[in-house]
């Protein structure tokens, strides 16, 4: 069964304290892995797509990486405005299959 | 600006009532999706549609119904058969082509059953 597991469920950081979020996945064939950011009471906002092992993408303080079994979202020197829930999703290779989402990691950054 | 509009943002329903959540997109996307989000749960797929006049059940379709009469619109009806409808509902769309695997989400509709 295809599934996505994110850890930790919640993460509290001090401003400037770098850390990583994990997304491990089991899928018969991976078409793509996606990271989204979701603020409370709002819809998820797209961050990154990764397609193959070894691929990396960066945006401001965020960097996403991908291996054959997991992805990491590295947050360097976070700021309070980075506080949000980060969602990971996989697109199985089978055509027409919808994204499978993990439960998310809720990040809180205090100043 | 192109995007997805969900309405209403907040909705209250009495037990036994059907309610319909609206989802409209002006992105010219072919595929549209409805997800349900509960606290501590991931997004769970209710229904999706890849073309007009066609849709498929997702993982938790029981108690819900949809229609896709126009490319731009994908309304979701929460029927009285849905036993626990209080949740945050998200509509999303996706096009086909280069970079088209990305789902674009609306702002969501929060349904509360009184």
């Amino acid at each position: 069964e295809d599934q996505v597991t994110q850890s930790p469920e919640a993460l509290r950081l001090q401003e400037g304290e770098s850390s990583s979020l994990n997304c491990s996945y089991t899928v018969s064939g991976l078409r793509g892995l996606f990271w989204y950011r979701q603020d409370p009471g709002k819809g998820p906002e797209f961050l990154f797509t990764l397609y193959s092992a070894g691929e990396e993408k960066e945006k401001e303080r965020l960097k996403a990486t991908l291996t054959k079994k997991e992805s990491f979202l590295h947050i360097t020197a976070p700021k309070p405005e980075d506080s949000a829930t980060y969602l990971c999703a996989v697109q199985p290779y089978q055509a027409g299959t919808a994204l499978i989402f993990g439960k998310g990691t809720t990040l809180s950054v205090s100043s | 600006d192109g995007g997805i509009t969900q309405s209403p943002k907040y909705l209250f329903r009495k037990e036994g009532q059907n309610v319909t959540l609206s989802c409209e997109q002006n992105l010219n996307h072919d595929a549209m999706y409805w997800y349900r989000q509960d606290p501590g749960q991931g997004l769970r797929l209710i229904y999706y549609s890849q073309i007009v006049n066609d849709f498929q059940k997702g993982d938790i379709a029981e108690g819900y119904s949809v229609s896709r009469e126009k490319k731009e619109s994908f309304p979701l009806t929460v029927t009285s058969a849905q036993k626990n409808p209080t949740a945050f509902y998200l509509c999303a769309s996706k096009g086909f082509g280069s970079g088209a695997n990305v789902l674009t989400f609306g702002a969501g509709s929060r349904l509360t059953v009184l």
Side-chain angles (χ1 to χ4, degrees):
Chain A
E1 180 184 353
D2 298 336
Q3 63 181 10
V4 176
T5 303
Q6 291 187 246
S7 62
E9 290 185 12
L11 180 63
R12 292 183 177 272
L13 299 175
Q14 291 290 320
E15 185 172 4
E17 180 186 2
S18 301
S19 188
S20 297
L21 313 182
N22 177 263
C23 171
S24 62
Y25 61 90
T26 304
V27 65
S28 51
L30 182 69
R31 183 182 289 272
L33 183 141
F34 302 82
W35 283 99
Y36 286 84
R37 169 191 170 127
Q38 186 177 23
D39 292 303
K42 296 188 178 181
E45 176 184 336
F46 170 74
L47 292 173
F48 303 108
T49 307
L50 301 168
Y51 294 104
S52 58
E55 189 175 359
E56 299 182 351
K57 290 194 176 172
E58 291 188 64
K59 179 180 179 180
E60 297 180 353
R61 295 176 292 282
L62 300 177
K63 179 180 176 180
T65 62
L66 181 65
T67 72
K68 289 186 177 180
K69 292 197 180 294
E70 58 190 350
S71 175
F72 292 93
L73 185 64
H74 307 278
I75 303 177
T76 302
K79 298 182 178 182
E81 53 262 42
D82 294 321
S83 298
T85 295
Y86 292 86
L87 301 172
C88 173
V90 297
Q91 171 86 60
Y93 203 80
Q94 182 178 356
T97 307
L99 292 188
I100 301 168
F101 282 83
K103 294 182 179 181
T105 294
T106 299
L107 173 66
S108 299
V109 182
S110 55
S111 57
Chain B
D1 289 337
I4 299 177
T5 301
Q6 290 187 240
S7 63
K9 188 166 179 61
Y10 299 97
L11 183 61
F12 298 89
R13 188 194 94 174
K14 293 181 179 179
E15 286 192 18
Q17 287 182 335
N18 292 355
V19 294
T20 297
L21 308 180
S22 170
C23 178
E24 302 279 333
Q25 56 100 355
N26 60 3
L27 299 166
N28 198 33
H29 284 171
D30 292 290
M32 298 187 72
Y33 304 79
W34 274 105
Y35 286 90
R36 169 179 172 143
Q37 188 174 36
D38 296 281
Q41 301 268 352
L43 273 66
R44 293 183 290 168
L45 182 65
I46 305 173
Y47 269 98
Y48 65 102
S49 168
Q50 298 193 74
I51 57 173
V52 174
N53 292 323
D54 188 45
F55 48 83
Q56 287 78 41
K57 293 182 179 180
D59 300 319
I60 56 166
E62 185 175 353
Y64 300 97
S65 66
V66 294
S67 62
R68 186 84 187 278
E69 298 177 359
K70 298 187 300 181
K71 186 176 183 178
E72 304 80 18
S73 179
F74 192 41
L76 174 73
T77 297
V78 184
T79 75
S80 56
Q82 169 49 235
K83 296 180 180 178
N84 185 21
T86 294
F88 190 52
Y89 291 88
L90 287 161
C91 180
S93 69
K94 184 176 73 172
F96 294 105
S98 176
N101 282 327
V102 174
L103 277 182
T104 301
F105 284 89
S109 292
R110 185 168 298 280
L111 172 63
T112 303
V113 173
L114 302 174

